[in-house]
Structure formats: structure tokens, C-alpha cells
Amino acid sequence: DAGVIQSPRHEVTEMGQEVTLRCKPISGHNSLFWYRQTMMRGLELLIYFNNNVPIDDSGMPEDRFSAKMPNASFSTLKIQPSEPRDSAVYFCASSFAHGAEIYEQFFGPGTRLTVL
Amino acid sequence: EDQVTQSPEALRLQEGESSSLNCSYTVSGLRGLFWYRQDPGKGPEFLFTLYSAGEEKEKERLKATLTKKESFLHITAPKPEDSATYLCAVQAYDYKLSFGAGTTVTVRA
């Protein structure tokens, strides 16, 4: 299995530009998570999808952030317009959830975003 | 609100010098405690899941234990390749993982 795939791995953009991050979860997983990691705040959950449906987006910092999951094998996280404080590493993770059973999350390699 | 505190923040070990990392947590209704390893420039890599107090799991030189208030990750006779940041996370009665800040382990040859 290729694991969780994210693209791009690095993104440098200027303030005000639109940024789109992409994720392909592990085949067979039905849960997808977007996280942001910074030195100051550590790993923070932004949004959680289950069976392609957004369940909890309370971690999305502002309306500038949006996420979609059009099918089971693809998700995007968009920032528009981007700001320097959005600079961070963004991770996508996937897992399998069945009823009340809890399963481990597998993380992708991350996208390092730098907003100038 | 779930809280996870890891200590120490950093740990420098000589090769072969065993040690332990601590993860203390406050959560209403623990469903699982997870340990991850993160190398620089990479995503967290899953190591263990512990579900109940008294449970232990091992993988090579790593052993994780769980009590009602904390978990320990024991590193036995570490090697330089064990150098990484070790993250602890707890999951309550929902899907969310609450992560600690991590312990950065450096093992010198």
C-alpha cells in the first residue's frame, strides 16, 4: 500500500494568493482528517470527514479555509486568501471507523506551506 | 477539555542507555491512547494503541505501558536510529485525537 499521499510537498506563495492542498487516503479507509502542525501549537485537527461527509469543521480557523471530499479517494484543503500566519505543515490522515470502534490514524508526509 | 502533557521536552541519550518518556493525560472517558514517532520532515508514524490500564505493548526496543492517568514509553538499549520526536495522543468518546507536544529523543553513538 502506498500510504496516504499528499501534494504538493512544499508550497511557497505570496500573501493573498489561493492555495490548494491535496490528499489521497489509504484505500479502504472511510475517515479522513486534516491537521496543521506548528512549533507553537503542535498538531491541531482542522476538519474530519467520515464517508466523504464533513462531520466536524470546528477546528477550521477562519472562513478563508475550506475543505472538500468529492469521493472516497480524494480530498482538498483550500486557503483563500492566504496569510503569512497560515505558514505551517499541513497533514492529511486516514483511518477506518466502524460504529464505535476506534482505529489508528495513518498520516501522510505533509505539505510545508510558506506564505510570504 | 482533554489535556495531554509529555515530559521531558527533550532527551539526550548515549547509545545503549535505556530511558522512559512520560505522557500524562486528563480525558473524560479514555477510549484509546496512541503513540506515534515523527522524524524531521515526515508525518507521524503509528507505533502503538493502548486501551486500558495495565496494558502493555512492545515493538523492538520500544515498550508502551498505560495506567489510569499516564503512559510510559520505555526505550531499551536505544540506537541512533531511535532518534525522533515521540508523540502521545488520547482519544475520548469521539473520533478526535488530542496530541501532546512531544518528546524529542536524540541518541548519540
Side-chain angles (χ1 to χ4, degrees):
Chain A
D1 197 320
V4 177
I5 299 172
Q6 291 187 246
S7 64
R9 293 295 313 277
H10 302 273
E11 178 80 34
V12 179
T13 190
E14 293 189 348
M15 183 173 62
Q17 296 298 305
E18 178 180 295
V19 175
T20 299
L21 311 182
R22 298 172 177 80
C23 174
K24 177 180 171 56
I26 293 172
S27 177
H29 283 185
N30 61 358
S31 297
L32 185 138
F33 307 80
W34 281 101
Y35 289 87
R36 178 171 66 177
Q37 186 176 42
T38 61
M39 289 293 292
M40 290 295 295
R41 301 175 67 90
L43 265 170
E44 302 174 283
L45 177 66
L46 300 177
I47 188 169
Y48 160 58
F49 290 88
N50 182 260
N51 292 322
N52 311 337
V53 177
I55 302 300
D56 185 350
D57 64 356
S58 60
M60 298 285 262
E62 299 172 32
D63 290 344
R64 297 183 297 106
F65 286 69
S66 63
K68 294 182 179 180
M69 192 165 186
N71 57 62
S73 59
F74 184 65
S75 177
T76 60
L77 178 67
K78 184 178 294 186
I79 308 173
Q80 166 62 19
S82 58
E83 296 182 3
R85 58 189 167 132
D86 302 330
S87 297
V89 181
Y90 291 81
F91 289 104
C92 175
S94 71
S95 70
F96 179 74
H98 179 68
E101 291 297 320
I102 308 297
Y103 296 94
E104 59 273 10
Q105 296 179 22
F106 292 89
F107 285 74
T111 295
R112 181 172 295 277
L113 174 64
T114 303
V115 183
L116 302 175
Chain B
E1 183 177 327
D2 301 341
Q3 289 192 330
V4 181
T5 303
Q6 293 189 245
S7 62
E9 290 185 10
L11 190 59
R12 293 176 65 86
L13 301 171
Q14 197 68 32
E15 185 172 5
E17 178 188 1
S18 301
S19 188
S20 295
L21 285 56
N22 177 265
C23 171
S24 62
Y25 61 90
T26 303
V27 62
S28 53
L30 179 72
R31 297 206 65 190
L33 184 142
F34 300 80
W35 282 98
Y36 285 84
R37 168 193 171 126
Q38 186 173 23
D39 293 298
K42 296 188 177 182
E45 175 188 347
F46 170 73
L47 293 174
F48 304 110
T49 307
L50 301 168
Y51 294 102
S52 57
E55 189 175 1
E56 299 182 351
K57 288 193 176 175
E58 288 188 67
K59 179 180 180 180
E60 296 181 354
R61 295 176 293 282
L62 301 178
K63 179 180 177 180
T65 63
L66 181 65
T67 72
K68 288 187 177 180
K69 293 185 177 181
E70 58 191 349
S71 176
F72 292 93
L73 184 65
H74 308 277
I75 309 178
T76 302
K79 298 181 178 182
E81 53 262 43
D82 294 322
S83 298
T85 295
Y86 292 87
L87 297 167
C88 169
V90 297
Q91 191 161 26
Y93 283 94
D94 58 24
Y95 47 85
K96 293 183 180 179
L97 286 181
S98 297
F99 280 87
T103 295
T104 300
V105 175
T106 304
V107 183
R108 296 165 292 176

